[in-house]
Amino acid sequence: MNGASQYFVDFYDYTVPSGALTFISPGQVHRWHGVEKTAELLVIGFTPELFALDMLDVQKILINLTLLVERAAPIYPVPDEKKSLFQLHFSTALARVQEQPDHAETLIRAYLNLILVEAQNLIASNPAPALIPSAPLRLARRFRLDVERHYMERRQVREYADRLGVTTSHLVETVREITGSTPKRIMQDRLLLEAKRLLAYSSLSAAEIGHELSFPNSDQFGRWFKSNAGVAPGQFRHQLFM
């Protein structure tokens, strides 16, 4: 990103400095605003399946990026001495794809690999101060990844503990130590986020959204949403578009 701007991601506002890397996960509600007139933005969208033919284990890279750390902004400022390196990777990738459109997927895969590895190296060389052992941190991150994949069908903490090979009490204690929250709260927050996204960016009624999220009836969904969001679904949608 060349030029500063504001970025609204999942109902939080972030300031994005010039030259920063921004990571956005699938399904996130996001929009740019307050963008400087001279700002330039280059976006590469991809899924892990892009690397299916490679030996690269994308999850090992993605799990270390800041967007998967609890409460971290999905933005990583690039030091001045590294900006030219990332600019080279991005501009070269764009140029090569334009030159060889028949090989676009292969080229994007190769340059994206470089960009992700460089991003991981940046984060590893400037780690945030931490007194927490790496094993609990990794378990908490694995839990969050699993919630992201299965929050719709798995609603019990025990189900996640079983999948991760730990006891329920150990998972609860570890997640609370790392995040300051509980697994149940994280699961509820993820479901609430999906409800907010559907209210913001779909034409589904509140009753239809409740059904989509597997609530037995619209009344129960309405009570649950108001209890967790502080307002009724209809009021939340109205406030967004006032």
Side-chain angles (χ1 to χ4, degrees):
M1 176 79 191
N2 291 326
S5 65
Q6 294 295 119
Y7 201 25
F8 180 79
V9 183
D10 279 344
F11 311 99
Y12 288 93
D13 246 333
Y14 301 98
T15 297
V16 183
S18 178
L21 295 174
T22 303
F23 299 101
I24 305 300
S25 299
Q28 287 189 304
V29 173
H30 60 101
R31 70 171 180 265
W32 294 92
H33 62 101
V35 181
E36 293 182 357
K37 291 183 179 179
T38 57
E40 295 180 359
L41 176 66
L42 179 60
V43 178
I44 298 180
F46 70 98
T47 66
E49 287 73 26
L50 178 65
F51 295 89
L53 300 179
D54 285 359
M55 296 301 292
L56 176 68
D57 184 348
V58 178
Q59 292 300 330
K60 288 182 180 178
I61 292 178
L62 295 182
I63 201 171
N64 287 309
L65 295 177
T66 53
L67 77 164
L68 293 178
V69 179
E70 178 70 14
R71 292 187 299 274
I75 297 151
Y76 196 81
V78 178
D80 289 340
E81 64 272 17
K82 291 287 187 179
K83 286 180 181 178
S84 60
L85 175 64
F86 281 97
Q87 184 62 41
L88 176 64
H89 287 330
F90 279 113
S91 60
T92 306
L94 181 60
R96 294 295 304 279
V97 168
Q98 291 173 337
E99 292 168 3
Q100 302 182 55
D102 292 342
H103 302 285
E105 184 173 316
T106 300
L107 290 167
I108 286 292
R109 185 187 302 123
Y111 281 100
L112 185 56
N113 186 353
L114 285 173
I115 291 166
L116 290 175
V117 170
E118 291 292 351
Q120 184 183 27
N121 289 340
L122 270 181
I123 294 167
S125 63
N126 297 280
L131 300 176
I132 301 166
S134 60
L137 179 60
R138 196 159 191 84
L139 176 60
R141 287 178 173 176
R142 288 173 59 207
F143 166 71
R144 286 179 59 80
L145 281 173
D146 217 30
V147 170
E148 183 62 33
R149 296 189 189 102
H150 303 294
Y151 67 93
M152 289 286 286
E153 69 268 20
R154 295 195 176 94
R155 303 289 175 88
Q156 301 299 319
V157 177
R158 175 183 51 78
E159 295 177 277
Y160 289 96
D162 290 345
R163 283 177 53 81
L164 295 169
V166 297
T167 65
T168 301
S169 60
H170 179 64
L171 181 61
V172 171
E173 291 169 5
T174 300
V175 170
R176 183 185 288 119
E177 178 187 6
I178 296 295
T179 70
S181 187
T182 65
K184 187 66 175 178
R185 184 68 264 163
I186 289 172
M187 292 156 59
Q188 290 289 306
D189 286 347
R190 181 60 186 87
L191 193 63
L192 179 64
L193 176 58
E194 189 63 22
K196 287 181 175 180
R197 288 174 174 173
L198 290 171
L199 286 165
Y201 288 101
S202 82
S203 58
L204 297 175
S205 67
E208 289 170 328
I209 290 172
H211 178 74
E212 184 83 7
L213 299 179
S214 301
F215 282 85
N217 55 65
S218 59
D219 288 342
Q220 185 170 331
F221 170 67
R223 289 193 298 270
W224 173 84
F225 188 91
K226 186 171 184 178
S227 174
N228 286 276
V231 294
Q235 186 179 354
F236 175 82
R237 176 174 271 170
H238 176 73
Q239 289 174 347
L240 283 176
F241 299 100
M242 286 180 60

